[in-house]
Amino acid sequence: MNDLGTIATRTVVEELLRRIGAGDPDATAALYAPVSDWKLNWPENEHNRPTTPWIRHRATRADAAEHFREIARHHVPEEVGTVIERILVDGPDAVVLGEIRQTARPTGRAYRSRFALHLTIENELITRHHVYEDSLAVAQAFDIPGHDQSGSSAPYSGCAPTTQARSSTTIPIRSSPSQRTRLALHSNGIAATDRPSAQRAELPD
């Protein structure tokens, strides 16, 4: 794909993040193809649990909209602190990298989980949505049976600095020099809030 195609891919990905951050599931779902390849890396036997109903494979736009609604219902929006670190684009494919920092609404338990979201864009619509994340951290936060707390991540409170890497593929997600947009992505649910920037950290090349 030429440079114009890569730019088009990046544009769709950034618009996806913006719409999810705006909290409109239907507008977000409109960016997906009528039928898409949607998968999560959770064990199949842990899909469709009552405590984490958004954890299941999807296929249609209606599925996508319900996915984002279910995430919102099961998390505390005031305690979002997740960051997007990089958006990498190669032709029709993009990978969003970051760390989930969310709080489970049923238990009040905060958790962290590294993630990678692989998207494929065709004709300006998302045709692939594959999420890779630390499912154990999420399961422990929601008290899913069979997952004890002995290896859980440290609780998160407050806001850590947004991490931005020195790379031509990095997309700085900032609203102004004095503010940053924090994007919370969980099995690809994103909530965005603008908060004062305390400091910036950089990853090595």
Side-chain angles (χ1 to χ4, degrees):
M1 180 177 284
N2 58 27
D3 289 344
L4 289 177
T6 297
I7 292 171
T9 298
R10 188 184 301 277
T11 298
V12 172
V13 173
E14 291 178 338
E15 179 62 15
L16 173 70
L17 299 178
R18 188 195 69 77
R19 291 190 188 188
I20 300 175
D24 188 336
D26 291 320
T28 302
L31 289 173
Y32 288 81
V35 176
S36 61
D37 176 13
W38 183 306
K39 290 189 168 108
L40 307 177
N41 72 324
W42 281 59
E44 293 289 338
N45 65 348
E46 295 193 359
H47 287 213
N48 294 304
R49 287 181 179 271
T51 50
T52 53
W54 69 92
I55 301 298
R56 65 179 179 85
H57 300 318
R58 310 276 174 162
T60 66
R61 281 179 178 157
D63 285 341
E66 183 59 20
H67 172 81
F68 296 114
R69 291 191 186 99
E70 287 175 342
I71 288 172
R73 286 195 289 264
H74 288 78
H75 289 88
V76 180
E78 297 82 8
E79 297 183 19
V80 165
T82 301
V83 293
I84 301 297
E85 295 170 352
R86 298 188 183 189
I87 300 174
L88 311 175
V89 179
D90 181 13
D93 293 291
V95 176
V96 181
L97 301 173
E99 184 179 63
I100 300 162
R101 296 172 187 171
Q102 288 270 39
T103 298
R105 189 187 294 273
T107 64
R109 186 173 297 141
Y111 65 92
R112 295 187 182 197
S113 171
R114 302 291 302 177
F115 74 88
L117 168 66
H118 177 196
L119 300 166
T120 299
I121 314 300
E122 298 177 14
N123 298 318
E124 300 185 346
L125 292 174
I126 299 167
T127 58
R128 178 187 287 124
H129 175 117
H130 288 187
V131 178
Y132 307 88
E133 66 181 0
D134 181 358
S135 58
L136 178 59
V138 181
Q140 290 173 337
F142 281 86
D143 280 336
I144 293 178
H147 301 282
D148 62 39
Q149 291 295 309
S150 59
S152 63
S153 302
Y156 170 76
S157 62
C159 299
T162 300
T163 301
Q164 299 184 48
R166 293 171 297 184
S167 168
S168 60
T169 54
T170 299
I171 303 298
I173 313 251
R174 296 173 66 88
S175 57
S176 74
S178 62
Q179 292 181 316
R180 64 182 169 207
T181 300
R182 307 180 64 82
L183 299 169
L185 173 56
H186 173 59
S187 293
N188 198 27
I190 300 175
T193 57
D194 288 334
R195 305 191 182 183
S197 178
Q199 64 184 55
R200 290 178 58 189
E202 291 187 335
L203 297 178
D205 290 330

